[in-house]
Every structure is written in structure tokens, then in C-alpha cells.
Amino acid sequence: MTTGPAGTGGAAAVERVFREEYGRAVAVLVRVFGDIDIAEEAVQDAFTAALERWPVDGLPPSPAGWIITTGRNRAIDRLRREASRADRHAQAALLHARERPLEEGPVEDDRLRLIFTCCHPALAPAARVALTLRLVGGLTTAEIARAFLVAEPAMAQRLVRAKGKIRDARIPYRVPDEAELPDRLPAVLSVVYLVFNEGYSAGSGDRLVREDLCAEAVRLGRLLARLMPDEPEVLGLLALMLLTESRRPARTGPDGELVVLAEQDRDLWDRGLIAEGLALVRRCLRRGRPGPYQIQAAISAVHSDARDAAATDWGQILRLYDRLTAIAPSPVVALNRAVAVAEVRGPGPALDLVEALVPTLGDFHVLHAVRADLLRRLGRRAEAASAYEAAIAGAGNAAEAAWLERRLRDLGPV
């Protein structure tokens, strides 16, 4: 297929619109048809049509509106054909669509409704998170499988079962009543944070950051904070994302290369986001109900307070990780705590902690990267080289892999 240049309707433009608008389009069409499978298939059909039409006709004035309208029309045409064959499911979806006319303007909480639908207690916790990442974040099955450290076919089956459960149990597409919110909230917060993390450190591709996912996660975090202003973990998550997002301008170099926290130019950090995030952390502290997101936000606040890497209060960070371990232990928390231990007590004690995590996190490339750095600092260069090679092999993102390759080269002959 011949395509025009990016920005004029070529394949690159279609890909950009897909990244930015997939979640919104699916959410709107779920509201229209009352069915996740129909909505997702309609959006996929619309993007297929965009690949055919936009290179010829150019980018429409409202690409998202074009996708939503095209997807709706194609789905209605297909449902009419199926309804004429006495397909009751198609008839019901068509009736639902007639009762709910399409709103082409922005509908602020459509994606939030979809998240709460996906996070219904009837679904297994892992399925809730995976399905929302697929539908709202637009992540591929392979990307979600990497996030969960499971095989892609197993994740595909998990997604199919979750959508079937929503359909068969007739789970409503709405933000739940106030009494129902506490049961849904942990999964909702987990989903929003995973969307942000996939944006901040893309699991695959050439670019380190997917700005669209970061922006969407922050937007959803702000919506949740307005919906539940007295819930400290909601404020904690928003603070964590804002403080992390504040560092994004310094996280990549001129050619898109990764710049790690210790080497970042802190003058490039977004001071407005830092101020907003720190204010939220202080609000959380006044509540006196610490939770995992609040503690992680406090850790990020310590980094934000330091004028440079050398001034970081690693003792305070380690104490916060100790609290986090006490209330929300996990192998990834233990790995992050080991990094703080290395700064406070040295690489030797930290390496002991990391080695104990290998049986659990052996497929996680970040573990090998941390282990490699500790071995390098201990002068065990040959072992460090092997650990860097393992980290490179597991890194799905090209920018991250390139940074690890530079660190491996810096070791010199071993």
C-alpha cells in the first residue's frame, strides 16, 4: 500500500491516532452498543479503513471523530445483516445503538466507565487489569503478557474469558454507586498505574516513552481524584504519577537515548508538576492513612527535593521502602529496596538481597540490570558482563537495550 507522509494521512499518522485515541473510541462505542467485543471489532475495522482512506484523502479534521463514526456505521451495517438472520445478540446490540445516539464531542468519563466495568469484582483481579490495559490503553496482547510475565497465548485466553464474563454476567457499563467504589478501587488504581508505567517505560518498540499513555493515565488519575477526593490512595497515585512525569523531559537525550535518574539535568524537570505532586503528598500525610501509592509518592518526593543526585536522602528512601515492604510486599518492591540498600550500606549487602530474588524475578530484565550494576561496583567485571547480557536479552525496548549495551561496553575487556 502506498502511504503519504506522517501527518497527512500516511501509515505513521494512523499509528499515532491509534496510540492516542484507541481507548476513547472503544469506550464510546461500548456505550453505544453495550458490548465490548462489538466495540473493539468496530474500532479495529475503522482503523483498517483509515489505512486505506487517509493516505488518499488526507488526515480528516477530527481523526478521533472519524474513527468513532466509521466504526459505529460499520458495526451497525454488520449487526443489521446478522439481525436479519434472527441473531438475538445482534438484534439486542442494534436496539441498544438506536437508543443511544452517538455523541461526537468529548465525553469526559467514558473511559472511566469502561475501567470500572473491567474492574468488576466478578472478574479475577489479574483479568481486570489485563482487560483494561487492552481496551483503555490499547496495549497489544504481547505487551500485556510482558507486563504480567506470562506467555502471550495464556494472556490471550485470559482476555477472551474476561470479556465473555462481562457479557454473560451482564456487568453494567457505568461508574458504580458510592457504596460499590471501595471494592473496585484497588484494581482501578492498579490499572491506571500500569497504563502510566507502560507509557513511561514502553515495554517494546524503538521509543522509550509513549507520551499518549502517560497523558491518559494522568487524565484518568485527575478524574478519579475529582470523583473520590477523600480517598488518600487516589491522591497518592496522582501524586506519584505527577512527580514521575515531572522528570520525563530529562529522561531522554537529544537522540532519544535513555538518561538514568542519577545523570539527569534536574533543571529540565517540570517544577509545576513537582509542586502539584508535593502538595498532594502533604495532603496524604495529613490524612494519616498510609497506603502503597502514598508511600511510593513519598519516595518520589524525596528524589524531587534533592538538588542533585548526590544530595538524595537515601536513608529516608530506605525507611520508606521498609514501610512499603511491611504493608505491600512484592518481589519488585524488594528489588527497588535493594537499590536503596546499595546507596546506604553498599553494593555487597544489596547484591545478597538481589541474588535471593533471582528464582522469582529471573525473567525480569531489570533484575539483571540491577545485579550487573552491583557486580560492576564490586569489581566483579566478568560476572557483571554476563548480567548485562542477560538484561539486554530481556529488554523489549530498543532505547533501554541500547543503554544497557553502552554500560556493557564501558566495562571494557573482561
Side-chain angles (χ1 to χ4, degrees), residues 325-410:
T325 301
I327 67 171
S330 77
V332 173
V333 169
L335 180 61
N336 288 329
R337 180 181 178 276
V339 174
V341 168
E343 298 302 323
V344 175
R345 301 173 188 162
L351 182 61
D352 291 338
L353 297 173
V354 172
E355 296 286 13
L357 295 170
V358 171
T360 307
L361 293 178
D363 294 331
F364 188 33
H365 74 281
V366 176
L367 176 136
H368 297 290
V370 171
R371 184 171 176 270
D373 183 65
L374 296 173
L375 289 165
R376 176 190 61 80
R377 291 166 64 179
L378 290 167
R380 296 160 61 176
R381 292 168 56 243
E383 293 171 89
S386 295
Y388 276 126
E389 289 168 355
I392 293 164
N397 182 277
E400 197 171 5
W403 181 82
L404 291 165
E405 288 166 355
R406 289 196 298 274
R407 298 306 296 261
L408 176 58
R409 289 195 299 271
D410 289 345

Side-chain angles (χ1 to χ4, degrees), residues 19 199 207 209-216 245 248:
R19 288 196 310 268
R207 298 168 59 220
V209 175
R210 287 186 57 180
E211 293 86 351
D212 56 309
L213 291 184
C214 291
E216 176 64 7
E245 175 72 359
R248 184 163 57 83

Side-chain angles (χ1 to χ4, degrees), residues 111-131:
R111 279 171 284 200
L112 196 59
R113 290 178 193 149
L114 185 54
I115 287 180
F116 276 108
T117 299
C118 294
C119 292
H120 193 279
L123 300 179
R128 300 174 204 170
V129 176
L131 185 59

Side-chain angles (χ1 to χ4, degrees), residues 108 111-112 115 136 192 195 215-225 241:
E108 187 177 45
R111 279 171 284 200
L112 196 59
I115 287 180
V136 179
V192 173
V195 170
E216 176 64 7
V218 170
R219 189 189 73 84
L220 290 169
R222 293 188 188 281
L223 276 177
L224 286 167
M241 292 191 296

Side-chain angles (χ1 to χ4, degrees), residues 89-103:
H89 181 63
Q91 291 170 356
L94 192 56
L95 179 62
H96 197 283
R98 287 171 179 156
E99 292 175 345
R100 294 176 180 269
L102 180 64
E103 300 174 28

Side-chain angles (χ1 to χ4, degrees), residues 10 66 95 147 157 166 239 252 280 348 401 414:
W66 191 99
L95 179 62
Q157 284 299 312
I166 288 174
T252 53
L280 287 169
V414 296

Side-chain angles (χ1 to χ4, degrees), residues 168-290:
D168 297 341
R170 298 187 179 181
I171 292 171
Y173 173 65
R174 62 177 175 82
V175 175
D177 297 333
E178 186 174 349
E180 300 174 274
L181 287 175
D183 288 339
R184 308 273 189 100
L185 189 57
V188 170
L189 296 180
S190 177
V191 162
V192 173
Y193 190 38
L194 281 170
V195 170
F196 180 83
N197 281 339
E198 178 60 28
Y200 198 74
S201 297
S204 61
D206 295 331
R207 298 168 59 220
L208 180 66
V209 175
R210 287 186 57 180
E211 293 86 351
D212 56 309
L213 291 184
C214 291
E216 176 64 7
V218 170
R219 189 189 73 84
L220 290 169
R222 293 188 188 281
L223 276 177
L224 286 167
R226 289 202 293 273
L227 181 67
M228 291 171 277
D230 296 323
E231 178 54 58
E233 276 293 83
V234 172
L235 301 182
L237 174 59
L238 179 57
L240 174 59
M241 292 191 296
L242 292 174
L243 291 170
T244 306
E245 175 72 359
S246 72
R247 299 194 283 269
R248 184 163 57 83
R251 194 159 174 265
T252 53
D255 298 321
E257 67 274 16
L258 169 64
V259 181
V260 295
L261 180 61
E263 299 170 3
Q264 288 176 10
D265 180 355
R266 301 191 177 205
D267 289 338
L268 298 177
W269 288 4
D270 188 321
R271 294 295 157 184
L273 290 180
I274 290 174
E276 186 180 0
L278 292 177
L280 287 169
V281 170
R282 288 191 290 270
R283 281 178 62 186
C284 291
L285 290 174
R286 288 195 293 270
R287 301 289 174 87
R289 293 161 51 197

Side-chain angles (χ1 to χ4, degrees), residues 140-152 155 198 202-205 363-365 394-397:
T140 67
T141 303
E143 289 170 338
I144 300 168
R146 278 194 294 272
F148 279 80
L149 304 178
V150 300
E152 185 176 346
M155 180 54 66
E198 178 60 28
S204 61
D363 294 331
F364 188 33
H365 74 281
N397 182 277

